[in-house]
Amino acid sequence: VRGINKKNKVILMVSVTGLGGFREVGRSAVLVEGKDNLLLDYGLDVQNMGVPTKPNLKLEGAFLSHAHLDHCGILPELYMRGFLGSVYATPATLGLCKLLLEDSLKVQEKRGIKSHFGPHDIEKLEELSQPMGFGKKIQFKNSEVTLFSAGHVPGAASILVETEGKRILYTGDIKFSETELMKRAFDDFRDIDLLICESTYTKKDHPDRGQLKKELLRHVSDVCSNNGIALLPCFAVGRSQEMIQILSELDVPLYLDGMGKKATSIILEHPESLRDPKKLKKAFGKARKIKKHWERFRLLGKPGVVVTTAGMLNGGPISHYIKKLHKKENCSLYISGYQVSGTVGNVLQSTGRYVNEGLDVKPKMQVLFRDWSAHCDRTEILGFIKKISPKKIIFNHGDSCGEFAREVSGMGFEAIAPKNGEKTEV
Ligand SMILES: [Zn+2]
């Protein structure tokens, strides 16, 4: 990206463009253009199968903030189109990314959706990817990149790009407060020229996690002492681990089913972002892993608690359990994650009906929705911005980026919410 100033002298510029995930949630992808072109995340809008715009220029490298599909879901497509560079991420993120991509490909196949890449491209990604620890710099010809822990899910990182005298910080998904599972995000940044900040929650604060934990433990104890089973549909990465870690404090049978099993093994191999890896290891040891289908039938007769995928009830073993237990008043379904519009979980939340795989019922089991968000809330975002006081802010990854940018501008910051495809000069 080169411009010519009035004296006809060539000047250099750095710019940032959202290829996806600007003024929306899903398919996150940011292109940093300068002497080096860098891609930050390359995700899939899982619900609508939407993909980002293709970065049609030579990339020096691609960086991945964390292993959720809305950030990594389309990365192998780069290799399908002949990308020969590396994808850089923390070791935990790379391990989890492979697991989720392989699963995503299987799900797409099963649903008859034509995928944007094949198994071979996932292999290529694995082969060429470069693990990077937190705080370690990677050097390109004209830029340096560093990852900082982001507190969102295991392995999650914020990405600092330093290029041509500019410092660009991309938060990725970030959480500034500690959870049962995760350490809090690193937030001590200085001299940031451009902050690209997620804005999933700009209108409200999350409930107190200590209170949520107390209530959950009481709820599961009550269900079990009433001879029932508590079902906890959870995302494989992050929430499954947090839940087994908390529930292992109870003296009731604890089961772990679905992709959370494999994800937990990978996370325990790379524990750098965990608050208490020993506790997670102990909880994982204590949880009975459900591997065969008949084991699911066997556990139904006795009280207990089941942590399983899918977090939004679309697919995964959870549908088996709901089918068997929805008529039982002494059982419960405890939903802890955000339910994206159009998912089975979202329909249940807004209509009270469970509609999935030929079933359309009003469950007799207790159904609870609680906010255990792995994102920062309004107070935390504002606190972060005031702390690091960046020269310019782009809000992305949110449903009200524009509105929030106007509000933050009113506080004296230069804040914007460009559309996808709109170039911002740094
Ligand atoms: Zn995420």
Side-chain angles (χ1 to χ4, degrees):
V1 189
R2 274 132 190 86
I4 295 179
N5 71 7
K6 280 178 188 149
K7 288 170 194 156
N8 272 352
K9 212 170 114 193
V10 175
I11 50 163
L12 300 169
M13 285 187 285
V14 182
S15 73
V16 160
T17 312
L19 304 178
F22 277 36
R23 294 198 195 175
E24 63 180 354
V25 179
R27 58 169 187 160
S28 282
V30 178
L31 180 65
V32 180
E33 273 177 273
K35 279 187 186 167
D36 291 332
N37 299 317
L38 304 171
L39 181 65
L40 316 180
D41 286 348
Y42 201 41
L44 176 71
D45 172 356
V46 180
Q47 190 55 23
N48 307 304
M49 297 309 288
V51 297
T53 313
K54 292 178 176 60
N56 278 325
L57 41 75
K58 190 179 170 289
L59 295 172
E60 265 65 42
F63 289 82
L64 174 57
S65 65
H66 67 286
H68 281 153
L69 286 172
D70 59 328
H71 293 256
C72 74
I74 197 86
L75 271 174
E77 194 253 3
L78 292 177
Y79 293 97
M80 184 134 156
R81 287 191 294 118
F83 177 54
L84 296 170
S86 293
V87 169
Y88 301 85
T90 62
T93 295
L94 289 175
L96 293 166
C97 173
K98 181 174 185 262
L99 175 71
L100 267 76
L101 286 170
E102 283 170 348
D103 181 70
S104 166
L105 201 59
K106 259 189 247 161
V107 170
Q108 291 175 42
E109 231 164 69
K110 222 168 111 186
R111 294 189 185 152
I113 299 165
K114 195 181 172 310
S115 176
H116 292 268
F117 55 85
H120 178 75
D121 305 306
I122 301 179
E123 279 166 33
K124 194 90 195 166
L125 164 66
E126 194 190 4
E127 200 181 296
L128 290 177
S129 61
Q130 299 267 3
M132 240 178 112
F134 292 126
K136 302 226 166 62
K137 253 184 195 154
I138 174 122
Q139 200 100 31
F140 293 91
K141 232 189 203 159
N142 304 290
S143 41
E144 293 175 337
V145 183
T146 319
L147 304 182
F148 294 91
S149 68
H152 172 59
V153 291
S158 298
I159 305 170
L160 176 68
V161 178
E162 294 167 277
T163 184
E164 295 167 61
K166 303 287 183 184
R167 285 162 59 81
I168 302 164
L169 177 65
Y170 171 65
T171 61
D173 293 357
I174 194 162
K175 188 164 183 79
F176 296 109
S177 48
E178 180 182 274
T179 68
E180 176 79 19
L181 181 71
M182 298 291 300
K183 289 182 196 159
R184 66 193 301 277
F186 180 88
D187 66 354
D188 203 7
F189 296 98
R190 285 185 203 157
D191 304 320
I192 298 298
D193 294 290
L194 175 66
L195 170 70
I196 306 162
C197 189
E198 71 125 310
S199 54
T200 321
Y201 294 92
T202 56
K203 289 188 177 154
K204 61 167 213 168
D205 286 345
H206 301 309
D208 179 74
R209 242 180 165 76
Q211 287 300 324
L212 280 177
K213 178 179 168 180
K214 260 193 217 157
E215 189 214 31
L216 170 67
L217 290 174
R218 202 181 325 119
H219 170 75
V220 172
S221 301
D222 288 351
V223 169
C224 289
S225 48
N226 207 7
N227 246 343
I229 295 175
L231 299 176
L232 273 76
C234 292
F235 307 120
V237 173
R239 188 55 41 77
S240 288
Q241 292 75 37
E242 185 175 15
M243 287 301 162
I244 62 164
Q245 197 166 314
I246 289 172
L247 294 165
S248 68
E249 291 177 18
L250 288 177
D251 195 20
V252 300
L254 167 62
Y255 303 96
L256 179 61
D257 198 349
M259 210 169 44
K261 300 188 296 273
K262 196 76 183 283
T264 309
S265 302
I266 295 169
I267 288 163
L268 284 169
E269 281 170 34
H270 311 287
E272 54 274 4
S273 46
L274 302 181
R275 191 181 59 83
D276 188 351
K278 276 193 200 133
K279 191 172 177 194
L280 177 61
K281 196 170 174 206
K282 217 171 141 199
F284 190 48
K286 185 180 175 185
R288 303 177 205 178
K289 284 75 147 181
I290 302 298
K291 291 173 185 143
K292 305 245 160 53
H293 194 53
W294 60 263
E295 293 176 292
R296 291 179 184 135
F297 288 93
R298 199 180 55 178
L299 73 82
L300 291 174
K302 287 164 272 168
V305 53
V306 184
V307 172
T308 185
T309 44
M312 300 186 199
L313 312 184
N314 282 34
I318 189 66
S319 50
H320 162 81
Y321 294 109
I322 294 177
K323 237 181 252 171
K324 295 289 169 203
L325 298 176
H326 69 86
K327 287 181 191 154
K328 296 197 186 307
E329 282 172 24
N330 63 341
C331 291
S332 84
L333 183 65
Y334 182 102
I335 297 174
S336 58
Y338 179 73
Q339 304 297 303
V340 170
S341 170
T343 57
V344 177
N346 178 262
V347 171
L348 179 63
Q349 190 169 20
S350 49
T351 68
R353 297 197 73 83
Y354 175 79
V355 186
N356 191 24
E357 296 178 9
L359 209 61
D360 180 352
V361 293
K362 189 171 172 10
K364 290 208 173 70
M365 69 198 307
Q366 284 186 72
V367 180
L368 292 93
F369 290 89
R370 293 293 182 269
D371 172 12
W372 286 76
S373 178
H375 294 265
C376 51
D377 61 23
R378 177 182 165 84
T379 302
E380 288 172 336
I381 298 183
L382 291 174
F384 178 57
I385 288 165
K386 283 174 194 157
K387 177 171 183 176
I388 71 163
S389 197
K391 282 205 188 101
K392 195 188 263 190
I393 308 163
I394 287 178
F395 288 113
N396 74 337
H397 199 287
D399 292 325
S400 36
C401 300
E403 196 183 315
F404 194 54
R406 279 191 296 281
E407 196 190 334
V408 171
S409 295
M411 298 172 186
F413 294 94
E414 190 186 342
I416 52 172
K419 290 182 207 143
N420 288 321
E422 215 175 291
K423 206 172 265 194
T424 303
E425 210 180 294
V426 186

